[in-house]
Amino acid sequence: KAGVTQTPRYLIKTRGQQVTLSCSPISGHRSVSWYQQTPGQGLQFLFEYFSETQRNKGNFPGRFSGRQFSNSRSEMNVSTLELGDSALYLCASMVGGANSPLHFGNGTRLTVT
Amino acid sequence: QKEVEQDPGPLSVPEGAIVSLNCTYSNSAFQYFMWYRQYSRKGPELLMYTYSSGNKEDGRFTAQVDKSSKYISLFIRDSQPSDSATYLCAMSGNTDKLIFGTGTRLQVFP
């Protein structure tokens, strides 16, 4: 079974630009979560989607948004990029039941210059 | 105070040593406890998943949960250089939101 796939692996953007990251979950997994990972803060929860609806949201500004499609694939968008948005963005999927373990992709490394 | 505290290390041990990794937490509603391993340039992979208090063993890995002390541990026996990675604890309560520790970097040298 294929794992969680994230594209692209690396991105370099300039302040003020916007970016879209993509995630394909494990087949059969209906929940997709997004995390931001930085050396100082660790893994910070962004949001979770289940059956195309946002089910949970972390404490990030509105510049961070996401969506999920009917095939469970998900995209995350960050608008008006700031230097502090440089991080590893991780997508994780799970079957859907509460407190099921998360399965992570290898992330998208975003660098904002 | 963070909900989950984890010593960032780095922890450096010789091959064959027993490694102890720990996390403390403040939210008594947490019931599900996990350990993830993350190699450089990779996403975290699930190592251990436990519910409530007690021990769980899987090969060289043992996870312990002490809810009365709000303390969880991961023990690695006969550590190998291939165990060198960052280890993340994670936990959740009745919501689906998983809270992670900041990770402990482990280096096992031959």
Side-chain angles (χ1 to χ4, degrees):
Chain A
K1 206 180 220 183
V4 177
T5 304
Q6 290 187 248
T7 55
R9 286 298 310 275
Y10 302 93
L11 265 178
I12 300 175
K13 291 286 188 179
T14 305
R15 267 183 305 176
Q17 289 186 315
Q18 76 165 21
V19 66
T20 300
L21 313 181
S22 181
C23 172
S24 293
I26 292 171
S27 177
H29 286 195
R30 297 167 63 190
S31 166
V32 173
S33 296
W34 288 89
Y35 286 81
Q36 181 195 68
Q37 187 175 33
T38 56
Q41 297 297 315
L43 274 152
Q44 303 277 302
F45 174 74
L46 281 154
F47 28 67
E48 183 212 359
Y49 286 87
F50 179 81
S51 293
E52 302 178 67
T53 301
Q54 189 178 85
R55 187 159 70 169
N56 269 307
K57 189 178 188 309
N59 297 322
F60 277 81
R63 301 186 296 107
F64 292 82
S65 63
R67 59 178 177 168
Q68 187 181 32
F69 303 96
S70 58
N71 62 358
S72 293
R73 193 176 69 84
S74 178
E75 285 182 348
M76 190 193 100
N77 186 75
V78 188
S79 62
T80 320
L81 284 166
E82 300 176 1
L83 293 178
D85 296 334
S86 294
L88 180 67
Y89 290 88
L90 290 159
C91 167
S93 72
M94 65 178 182
V95 172
N99 300 301
S100 300
L102 291 173
H103 299 268
F104 284 87
N106 287 326
T108 294
R109 170 74 62 185
L110 172 64
T111 302
V112 182
T113 61
Chain B
Q1 184 192 2
K2 288 185 175 180
E3 277 190 287
V4 179
E5 298 278 359
Q6 185 174 8
D7 189 331
L11 186 60
S12 186
V13 302
E15 184 176 354
I18 296 174
V19 175
S20 172
L21 304 165
N22 312 295
C23 287
T24 58
Y25 62 95
S26 57
N27 190 340
S28 57
F30 288 151
Q31 299 181 72
Y32 301 88
F33 304 92
M34 289 150 240
W35 285 95
Y36 285 82
R37 177 176 62 196
Q38 186 174 20
Y39 291 114
S40 181
R41 297 191 179 86
K42 297 285 189 180
E45 59 175 322
L46 182 68
L47 269 181
M48 301 288 278
Y49 179 90
T50 55
Y51 171 71
S52 195
S53 284
N55 295 358
K56 184 175 182 179
E57 190 173 317
D58 184 1
R60 297 184 295 110
F61 299 90
T62 300
Q64 283 186 355
V65 175
D66 182 349
K67 288 190 71 180
S68 62
S69 302
K70 298 191 181 68
Y71 188 88
I72 69 170
S73 300
L74 178 71
F75 297 95
I76 307 174
R77 290 185 300 280
D78 188 26
S79 56
Q80 302 295 309
S82 59
D83 295 327
S84 299
T86 296
Y87 290 79
L88 300 148
C89 63
M91 49 198 80
S92 65
N94 291 323
T95 67
D96 293 339
K97 195 172 160 182
L98 198 57
I99 308 297
F100 283 83
T102 50
T104 299
R105 194 153 56 93
L106 172 66
Q107 179 77 36
V108 181
F109 56 90

